[in-house]
Amino acid sequence: MRSLKRALPTTRGREFHLPNNPVYLIRRHSYHLHKNGDRSESTCGHPQPCVMLETEIFLDFKGHFYRGMDVRDLCRRATFDEVIFFFLHKRWPNESELKRKNCYVQNELNRFCERNVLEMGRLLQTSDPLQLIRIALLKFSHQSEQQTETEGEPKSTHDPLFNYLKILAASVKLLLRWGHSELVSPPMNDYADFTSFLIDAYPTEGKEVNFHNKGKEEDDAENLNASRESNESKGQTLTPHPWREERIKLLNAFLVCMCEQGINENTFFVRMLSSVQCHNYFSLCVSASTFYIDAFRNVDLRDSLEGFLRFVVPSVGTIKRGEHNKFHKNREPEGGHLRQGNHLDDEIATHLNVDFFFHKGNSYREKNAILKEHLTEYCNNTCEKNLHCLKHFEQVEEFFLKNQKKHASCYYYPLLTFHLLGVPLPLLPSVFFIMRLLSFMAHRQEQITNNKLVKYAGVYVGVPPRGFHMQPLHRGATSPH
């Protein structure tokens, strides 16, 4: 751990200086009405000050940094569990602290009873893992309020690390339930870290498993459950995947890279809620889970993945059509390729959920570049088939950038990551929420510590101020009274 601290660089010496006064200036605009009714705009002489939110968590300056440490180095040298401790305690854990953390997660895994959550899910007619996690958060929130009313605020609520680990343990246990029979508890190893725990929970028995050929998520879960039960009935154990270490490295890089993106609309809302609702930790987590439930509500990840894999980029379709058909020979679903010209058809755009995976903004360019580096390394160390799949996704990204002027969002390459890792796609929203919850809790803790009001800054663009003047009635007009 000491070598890690020495190896990770900070922003010192990179010509970055913290601002003495975190205030930026916006020029105020005034509007004047001409005699003809047109409105012209001019700039006032004095700018309008707007207070910026102060944060020590994320810095975008010649790279991305978490609390002063380069994200690229963190993806290669640190585990996601170490980053959890680093985000919430502002320092790196030692070996005894990591063992204590793992013991706490293991105890929470043994204590958490998921049957009540599953029963509530059946009543609500939902089996979505993220919806079940939200039900568990509602349960924790209710228990926290009852405990506060009877015993006062417990000491454990002062440490955000153990609260987050409690949610992590409950989420992991609910994720393990996906693809297993509700009558039989899923096999569970001792907790060492989140990435290896999740990879070992969904091994592919030394070969790739395609979770995307079925028509429904329930078919995927039943197929996975049947294969596991057949092995258990024969007394066989699932053999480790030959690329297990490579899969763990890729998943860890994905979690570390995408867990934080600075102060955006979601973290701003979390900070605003923390200013007025800081007593109940889990109620804020319920609000955060709603972000991703709504974000993934109308998105079919399996159909989107199949659409991107069948999408024929014009340059590929005209020059390397034979090679492209050979690549898709064993994975093409019914319906053939999605052939396109330079303009995207509206029906195909809806099928691919283009607005979800591609945006006009370019805020995730650096993060996607980091994730693509690890994807390239993983594909080079595994098989050529994965490398062709990655190159195809890059060609699709280039097509949308040149023809649609859209950039890949934070969900595009994670979709490919889960596909290459063999992790079921229905778990992507839940894993995304778990890693982003770490960012939300760090911003919550920082907001409560700073104790500064969070509010929007607005600029008035209406008509200029004027006195109240009654319009005189025309001659001959009668009063309404």
Side-chain angles (χ1 to χ4, degrees):
M1 189 57 61
R2 293 180 180 177
S3 61
L4 172 64
K5 297 177 182 178
R6 291 194 299 266
L8 295 177
T10 63
T11 56
R12 296 178 181 177
R14 291 176 176 249
E15 300 180 357
F16 175 77
H17 303 283
L18 293 174
N20 295 328
N21 188 12
V23 173
Y24 68 95
L25 302 178
I26 295 180
R27 290 189 177 275
R28 292 184 297 179
H29 299 273
S30 62
Y31 297 88
H32 304 280
L33 294 177
H34 293 286
K35 294 181 180 180
N36 57 2
D38 296 335
R39 187 173 65 173
S40 62
E41 178 181 352
S42 62
T43 304
C44 297
H46 301 285
Q48 177 184 8
C50 295
V51 179
M52 298 173 61
L53 289 177
E54 301 176 1
T55 180
E56 300 176 354
I57 302 173
F58 181 79
L59 172 65
D60 183 5
F61 177 77
K62 296 183 179 180
H64 286 181
F65 299 87
Y66 295 160
R67 296 195 184 278
M69 294 191 174
D70 197 334
V71 175
R72 294 180 181 271
D73 292 334
L74 288 174
C75 290
R76 296 190 177 276
R77 298 175 180 268
T79 65
F80 180 67
D81 288 61
E82 293 172 342
V83 173
I84 292 174
F85 197 98
F86 179 57
F87 262 61
L88 300 179
H89 279 183
K90 302 182 182 181
R91 61 181 179 84
W92 290 103
N94 52 39
E95 294 183 1
S96 61
E97 289 172 332
L98 285 177
K99 291 181 180 179
R100 181 189 175 193
K101 177 192 70 64
N102 293 340
C103 291
Y104 182 84
V105 176
Q106 188 66 47
N107 292 334
E108 290 296 327
L109 284 171
N110 298 331
R111 289 176 52 189
F112 178 70
C113 181
E114 72 278 15
R115 295 187 180 275
N116 296 333
V117 177
L118 296 176
E119 181 65 25
M120 183 63 67
R122 282 194 296 269
L123 294 176
L124 297 177
Q125 297 181 354
T126 179
S127 60
D128 180 67
L130 187 53
Q131 292 279 7
L132 297 178
I133 292 175
R134 188 174 186 271
I135 295 174
L137 292 175
L138 288 170
K139 178 182 177 181
F140 291 156
S141 177
H142 181 66
Q143 292 176 351
S144 178
E145 290 181 355
Q146 287 184 335
Q147 187 175 4
T148 302
E149 293 177 357
T150 57
E151 304 176 3
E153 189 175 2
K155 295 182 179 180
S156 60
T157 58
H158 296 292
D159 192 346
L161 175 63
F162 293 104
N163 288 328
Y164 178 81
L165 294 179
K166 182 177 182 178
I167 298 175
L168 178 65
S171 303
V172 165
K173 201 162 186 179
L174 291 173
L175 291 180
L176 292 182
R177 274 294 183 180
W178 195 91
H180 290 87
S181 173
E182 296 184 1
L183 301 177
V184 181
S185 299
M188 186 170 57
N189 301 326
D190 293 337
Y191 184 87
D193 60 85
F194 177 63
T195 53
S196 61
F197 198 85
L198 186 61
I199 290 296
D200 293 337
Y202 292 96
T204 53
E205 303 182 10
K207 56 184 179 180
E208 292 186 358
V209 174
N210 190 356
F211 293 95
H212 319 295
N213 289 334
K214 298 293 181 180
K216 297 180 180 179
E217 294 180 2
E218 289 78 5
D219 296 335
D220 296 338
E222 292 176 359
N223 187 24
L224 180 62
N225 187 26
S227 63
R228 285 173 172 170
E229 290 181 351
S230 62
N231 289 330
E232 292 174 359
S233 62
K234 297 177 182 178
Q236 299 177 356
T237 57
L238 295 176
T239 58
H241 198 285
W243 305 328
R244 178 180 179 274
E245 296 300 325
E246 297 295 333
R247 297 173 70 205
I248 291 176
K249 287 169 55 178
L250 177 58
L251 181 59
N252 182 78
F254 159 67
L255 295 175
V256 174
C257 178
M258 292 293 184
C259 69
E260 166 64 22
Q261 189 57 26
I263 297 180
N264 51 26
E265 61 276 7
N266 291 339
T267 51
F268 184 91
F269 181 67
V270 168
R271 283 176 172 266
M272 186 172 60
L273 287 180
S274 302
S275 300
V276 297
Q277 189 182 10
C278 60
H279 63 283
N280 194 330
Y281 176 91
F282 298 104
S283 63
L284 185 63
C285 299
V286 173
S287 302
S289 65
T290 309
F291 294 156
Y292 295 99
I293 291 177
D294 293 338
F296 287 92
R297 186 182 301 276
N298 298 321
V299 178
D300 193 323
L301 298 175
R302 181 175 48 255
D303 288 347
S304 299
L305 176 64
E306 291 179 353
F308 286 127
L309 291 177
R310 293 189 288 115
F311 189 88
V312 178
V313 182
S315 60
V316 177
T318 56
I319 299 176
K320 300 180 180 180
R321 181 67 55 80
E323 181 181 351
H324 189 273
N325 291 338
K326 181 180 179 181
F327 165 65
H328 289 282
K329 180 175 63 175
N330 297 326
R331 66 170 69 231
E332 179 184 355
E334 296 181 0
H337 298 307
L338 298 180
R339 306 190 185 279
Q340 273 300 300
N342 293 330
H343 299 283
L344 191 66
D345 185 76
D346 293 339
E347 182 179 355
I348 296 180
T350 304
H351 178 72
L352 296 177
N353 296 294
V354 172
D355 293 336
F356 182 77
F357 292 102
F358 290 92
H359 296 159
K360 290 291 185 181
N362 195 20
S363 57
Y364 286 95
R365 181 183 61 180
E366 181 71 18
K367 289 294 186 73
N368 286 332
I370 296 175
L371 185 56
K372 280 193 288 185
E373 290 179 4
H374 290 272
L375 282 169
T376 303
E377 182 179 347
Y378 172 80
C379 295
N380 289 331
N381 295 335
T382 53
C383 66
E384 187 177 359
K385 185 178 180 181
N386 291 338
L387 187 60
H388 283 308
C389 189
L390 173 60
K391 290 181 178 179
H392 177 70
F393 260 64
E394 291 177 342
Q395 291 172 351
V396 173
E397 179 189 14
E398 185 179 359
F399 168 81
F400 281 99
L401 180 60
K402 289 184 177 180
N403 296 277
Q404 304 293 322
K405 306 300 181 182
K406 292 183 177 181
H407 303 269
S409 69
C410 60
Y411 306 111
Y412 180 67
Y413 282 103
L415 180 72
L416 175 63
T417 301
F418 268 54
H419 172 63
L420 296 181
L421 291 176
V423 180
L425 285 182
L427 304 186
L428 177 59
S430 302
V431 175
F432 219 97
F433 163 72
I434 292 172
M435 69 175 184
R436 281 297 175 88
L437 182 62
L438 173 62
S439 170
F440 293 160
M441 295 305 101
H443 281 278
R444 171 191 178 272
Q445 181 183 2
E446 189 176 63
Q447 179 62 34
I448 294 175
T449 303
N450 293 341
N451 194 23
K452 292 186 177 181
L453 184 64
V454 178
K455 66 177 182 179
Y456 285 102
V459 178
Y460 180 74
V461 295
V463 296
R466 61 187 185 277
F468 180 76
H469 299 286
M470 291 291 295
Q471 294 291 338
L473 295 175
H474 294 287
R475 183 175 298 178
T478 59
S479 173
H481 302 288

